[in-house]
Amino acid sequence: MEQKPTSIFKTQSDIVEQRYCPVSKSSAYLSSNVKVRDNGMHAVVHVGLAKTGTTTIQRLSIDLKESLKLDGFEMPWSVKIREEEYWQLGDGPLPQMKIFAHCFHPVKEKFQLNEATYTVKKVQYECESDILHYGSDIAARNQSIFLSSENFAHINETGIEELSEYLSQWSKQTIIVFYRRYYDWITSLYRQHTKTRALKDTRKWERSILDFASRVIKQVPKNYISELQSRLEKKFDNIIVMNFHDLSKAGPHETLFCDKTLNMTHACEEIQNEDDVPHENKGVTNLDYFDLVYGAMKAGLIKIDSDKKMHQVATKVQDYHQSMLNNTALKRVCPPQADLDMLLNVSLTFELKYFPGQVDSLESDFKKQATTKLCKVDVDQTLKKKEWGDFFRSITNSSNNISSNIACKWSPGQNDKCITLISKRIEPSLQRRWLFFGDSTVFRLFNSSSLPEVLVHSPLEKINQQCYHYSQLECHQKKGERCKLNDLFGFHYRDHWVPHNESGLNFIGPRNYGASNPYCTDCSECFSDFLQYTLKGNASSYGSCDRSKNGLVYGGYIHMEYARDIEIQTPEFLTTQENLAAYISRVWNTPNLIQEWRRPVCVVSAGLHDATIKDISTPDYAKNIKFMLDKFTPVC
């Protein structure tokens, strides 16, 4: 019988059983296993900072794995530990990176928010010896290594010395650290930490950005670049500081992978050819809305008994503020001028040290943030306003609706529940515009309900009333067919229709009829039907038309089968989603229409067709959904 080769991890794990305690620091392993090699290879360690696009870089390193190999770089992120793929352990993308970094500093507890269940839990990352062995094996094969974790930013002098000893297996070591403006970094850090606050964590709710800023003005945190660099310089000679604010790049990911001194040419080329790089941890839910809910709870205006309900009500508050109050600026409390001056001076000191050529843009940006991100919402004054007090009292009166899911199961023969839910959401008194986007399931739901009457036929009749006639409000009913899609929206056609194999995009629609018939849909029963208004003047200034009583609500259904497809192509945009978003922006969101009706409410249902695309993966599917939401969110 042929004997199988012994796994390097199995063999080294046996060694570790004798020499290495998994919960101890890495020194026991380092002192007995590291051998300095003059292999001409390169160890590149990206240490963060946190909130400088680090998670995006980590996530991309998976996608760039093969390109990085072509550049001579490998990563110890696929090692199997305890018979599991290590990336399945813990929370967040690539916890192996965090655990690798934890080999060089004491184990610490960390709080993380599970955004699916709205619960906060403790997680621990301990050193796993197999990851260290995997890295040593990379060196033994004369390959370069790429490491990335913001957890490196927290290691102390002893940990840095151990990291230096470990990296001595490569003849060249480069440390990458990103510079982000101090005031901008602390506001982002505050929002990131604060979003994990649980209802029982009173301290986090009571601590505002004002408190946080006043503390970090007096003492720079040890994980900021100045303090971190000072520790790193004691053991490393080659430290590259990269600019988080480099507008010539698509983001920190391009800044890093395309840095010429690193010679990651294949990885750089792949990034630059990527049409849409997803940014992980891109901002957090606006904390103002959570602060308002917490303040209303303390004032007795509403009862909140769980973290889940806190998130639900905060979402309602956000929708109310943006839709009904037209995003009217909330009164804010800002830091004292003395604190702002001190923060600006500290930030300028770092700017002059790292990137002095962009000082002018810092001062301009700081002036904006001094009245926005560096301030907290004035909860007491806001809740005293009638519109906000009435809103929270209305939530209390309809608490059963708040705690229940607005969801239903639909089929052609059983749609009463869904129609009832939608009918309750669309009230004439709101003077709103509603657009439904989706495939045949959405069209059938729309067409079998009273929505065509409410959003199309009834407002079309009202337009002939004298009050609307004098308001110079023009209305056209738009009804689509299966083909000649551009005609419906007044779009120009491209000189050359682009098929899948020329688009440069993967896992997109159409896949059936529309793939071989330019400017046609796959769906044979998705016929757009909506109203398009043009308002030449201000409706409120004409005649005695009382819109609150007449209730001019309008909208309709627009076909869209996929989350990303090329059924509708124009000289300007290749995808349906980009063209429809541009149409809403230019035709539906003119200044006078916005003034009268605000942005339209877009009910979007797409993704079922994407799921049927052959060989599409979960990340590719999610990328399509994110693409669609990124296009529609700014205009709806």
Side-chain angles (χ1 to χ4, degrees):
M1 180 179 294
E2 181 182 357
Q3 185 176 1
K4 294 183 178 179
T6 304
S7 165
I8 184 173
F9 307 119
K10 178 75 171 178
T11 302
Q12 292 179 336
S13 294
D14 292 340
I15 295 174
V16 171
E17 288 296 324
Q18 303 171 21
R19 301 185 182 179
Y20 182 77
C21 176
V23 296
S24 70
K25 291 170 69 76
S26 59
S27 56
Y29 164 75
L30 292 168
S31 62
S32 59
N33 290 276
V34 169
K35 295 181 180 180
V36 179
R37 299 180 177 92
D38 185 12
N39 53 17
M41 292 296 106
H42 197 175
V44 175
V45 183
H46 169 225
V47 303
L49 306 173
K51 306 311 299 174
T52 57
T54 309
T55 308
T56 298
I57 290 170
Q58 293 169 359
R59 173 59 65 190
L60 275 174
S61 69
I62 295 180
D63 300 334
L64 298 172
K65 182 178 179 181
E66 297 305 317
S67 293
L68 285 169
K69 276 188 176 181
L70 293 175
D71 295 323
F73 287 89
E74 294 187 23
M75 300 170 290
W77 307 144
S78 300
V79 57
K80 285 190 175 182
I81 297 177
R82 300 176 188 147
E83 304 303 321
E84 294 183 84
E85 280 292 336
Y86 205 77
W87 59 266
Q88 293 178 349
L89 303 178
D91 295 325
L94 300 182
Q96 322 91 306
M97 296 188 178
K98 298 178 181 179
I99 296 172
F100 190 102
H102 269 279
C103 289
F104 301 93
H105 65 82
V107 175
K108 291 183 178 180
E109 290 181 336
K110 184 177 180 180
F111 291 91
Q112 289 193 344
L113 171 68
N114 185 327
E115 296 186 4
T117 59
Y118 306 111
T119 57
V120 178
K121 66 178 181 180
K122 291 180 182 179
V123 293
Q124 273 192 333
Y125 295 105
E126 300 178 353
C127 179
E128 289 285 357
S129 58
D130 282 358
I131 292 184
L132 295 177
H133 287 306
Y134 193 116
S136 295
D137 180 58
I138 292 173
R141 290 185 284 104
N142 288 334
Q143 297 297 304
S144 296
I145 191 170
F146 174 64
L147 304 169
S148 174
S149 175
E150 63 267 34
N151 288 65
F152 283 121
H154 296 278
I155 61 179
N156 56 23
E157 286 81 358
T158 302
I160 288 174
E161 184 173 352
E162 293 175 352
L163 179 62
S164 174
E165 185 179 353
Y166 182 85
L167 296 179
S168 66
Q169 297 174 95
W170 291 265
S171 58
K172 181 180 179 181
Q173 302 90 34
T174 297
I175 305 297
I176 305 294
V177 59
F178 272 89
Y179 164 75
R180 184 171 182 174
R181 290 166 174 165
Y182 189 57
Y183 66 90
D184 193 49
W185 180 72
I186 64 174
T187 57
S188 182
L189 200 64
Y190 170 78
R191 293 195 299 274
Q192 183 70 18
H193 289 173
T194 304
K195 79 170 186 177
T196 63
R197 54 187 174 182
L199 196 57
K200 62 182 179 181
D201 191 356
T202 305
R203 181 186 62 84
K204 275 193 175 183
W205 286 98
E206 300 295 343
R207 184 187 66 170
S208 70
I209 181 63
L210 305 185
D211 305 316
F212 187 72
S214 65
R215 179 166 63 86
V216 296
I217 289 172
K218 299 170 185 174
Q219 182 176 4
V220 178
K222 290 184 178 181
N223 59 326
Y224 188 59
I225 183 172
S226 56
E227 302 298 306
L228 174 60
Q229 184 181 10
S230 178
R231 297 196 304 276
L232 290 169
E233 284 176 340
K234 295 177 181 179
K235 298 301 298 185
F236 295 102
D237 298 325
N238 189 19
I239 300 174
I240 298 179
V241 177
M242 294 185 174
N243 189 2
F244 177 80
H245 306 281
D246 186 355
L247 299 180
S248 68
K249 301 293 192 296
H253 58 281
E254 184 180 350
T255 301
L256 190 153
F257 290 113
C258 294
D259 186 276
K260 293 182 179 180
T261 63
L262 303 181
N263 292 319
M264 296 178 173
T265 54
H266 292 88
C268 175
E269 183 178 354
E270 184 175 344
I271 283 179
Q272 291 179 334
N273 290 335
E274 179 64 45
D275 65 309
D276 183 28
V277 174
H279 294 271
E280 306 288 340
N281 295 335
K282 187 178 179 182
V284 297
T285 305
N286 192 322
L287 297 178
D288 289 347
Y289 303 119
F290 287 90
D291 290 341
L292 286 173
V293 176
Y294 186 75
M297 181 187 71
K298 288 179 61 179
L301 295 175
I302 190 171
K303 183 179 180 181
I304 302 292
D305 53 14
S306 68
D307 294 321
K308 184 175 182 179
K309 189 170 183 179
M310 172 67 75
H311 280 75
Q312 290 175 332
V313 177
T315 300
K316 294 270 184 184
V317 172
Q318 182 173 6
D319 181 65
Y320 174 73
H321 179 231
Q322 294 179 349
S323 302
M324 301 305 296
L325 300 184
N326 205 23
N327 228 5
T328 304
L330 298 169
K331 184 175 177 58
R332 310 188 74 78
V333 180
C334 298
Q337 190 60 47
D339 283 359
L340 288 174
D341 292 341
M342 190 180 301
L343 181 56
L344 175 59
N345 288 334
V346 173
S347 300
L348 282 170
T349 299
F350 293 132
E351 192 89 353
L352 289 168
K353 177 180 179 180
Y354 292 108
F355 296 97
Q358 58 184 27
V359 165
D360 289 343
S361 63
L362 179 149
E363 293 178 330
S364 174
D365 185 61
F366 182 85
K367 186 175 181 180
K368 295 177 183 177
Q369 293 206 29
T371 57
T372 53
K373 291 182 180 180
L374 285 165
C375 308
K376 68 174 183 178
V377 62
D378 191 332
V379 174
D380 293 338
Q381 292 300 317
T382 300
L383 295 179
K384 287 179 181 179
K385 294 187 175 181
K386 184 178 185 300
E387 61 267 29
W388 281 104
D390 290 346
F391 169 74
F392 280 108
R393 280 186 283 272
S394 71
I395 289 182
T396 301
N397 295 334
S398 58
S399 58
N400 290 334
N401 291 333
I402 290 290
S403 60
S404 63
N405 265 332
I406 305 300
C408 63
K409 290 184 178 181
W410 181 89
S411 66
Q414 297 178 341
N415 55 20
D416 290 346
K417 183 177 180 180
C418 291
I419 291 174
T420 299
L421 283 174
I422 294 174
S423 299
K424 288 181 178 180
R425 300 286 289 176
I426 302 179
E427 302 176 16
S429 62
L430 298 180
Q431 299 114 43
R432 295 283 290 277
R433 302 178 293 170
W434 293 75
L435 284 172
F436 290 78
F437 297 86
D439 56 16
S440 58
T441 58
V442 177
F443 174 70
R444 290 170 186 168
L445 173 62
F446 176 85
N447 211 39
S448 62
S449 70
S450 60
L451 291 176
E453 176 63 30
V454 173
L455 298 178
V456 181
H457 304 144
S458 178
L460 189 59
E461 293 177 3
K462 287 184 178 180
I463 198 64
N464 294 320
Q465 296 178 6
Q466 186 177 24
C467 57
Y468 293 115
H469 176 73
Y470 287 132
S471 71
Q472 300 182 37
L473 185 63
E474 296 181 356
C475 177
H476 300 281
Q477 183 177 5
K478 298 280 191 174
K479 301 193 73 171
E481 299 178 353
R482 185 174 191 178
C483 294
K484 297 182 179 180
L485 299 176
N486 288 29
D487 292 347
L488 181 65
F489 305 98
F491 293 155
H492 293 293
Y493 288 88
R494 297 176 72 95
D495 293 336
H496 170 65
W497 182 73
V498 180
H500 278 94
N501 59 358
E502 296 180 15
S503 69
L505 303 175
N506 298 318
F507 306 110
I508 60 171
R511 290 284 161 163
N512 299 305
Y513 186 84
S516 55
N517 293 272
Y519 303 102
C520 295
T521 67
D522 276 353
C523 178
S524 60
E525 298 181 5
C526 302
F527 304 123
S528 298
D529 184 9
F530 61 95
L531 290 187
Q532 177 178 295
Y533 277 9
T534 302
L535 181 59
K536 296 180 180 179
N538 186 324
S540 302
S541 63
Y542 293 89
S544 58
C545 181
D546 186 344
R547 290 184 297 112
S548 65
K549 293 180 180 179
N550 284 278
L552 187 56
V553 179
Y554 75 94
Y557 163 78
I558 295 177
H559 109 277
M560 188 175 70
E561 302 157 77
Y562 296 85
R564 178 164 11 186
D565 68 78
I566 53 175
E567 290 180 349
I568 298 177
Q569 303 179 17
T570 68
E572 185 176 11
F573 298 112
L574 184 59
T575 68
T576 296
Q577 290 66 35
E578 289 172 296
N579 283 304
L580 289 180
Y583 166 73
I584 296 171
S585 175
R586 295 165 185 170
V587 178
W588 283 63
N589 289 353
T590 60
N592 47 16
L593 286 175
I594 287 289
Q595 180 182 352
E596 296 300 323
W597 281 281
R598 307 182 186 96
R599 290 185 296 175
V601 178
C602 298
V603 182
V604 180
S605 174
L608 292 177
H609 287 249
D610 297 70
T612 66
I613 296 175
K614 184 179 179 181
D615 297 329
I616 191 170
S617 65
T618 299
D620 289 319
Y621 177 83
K623 186 183 292 187
N624 282 359
I625 298 295
K626 184 178 184 301
F627 175 83
M628 174 186 67
L629 294 176
D630 284 345
K631 303 308 173 188
F632 279 87
T633 300
V635 299
C636 294

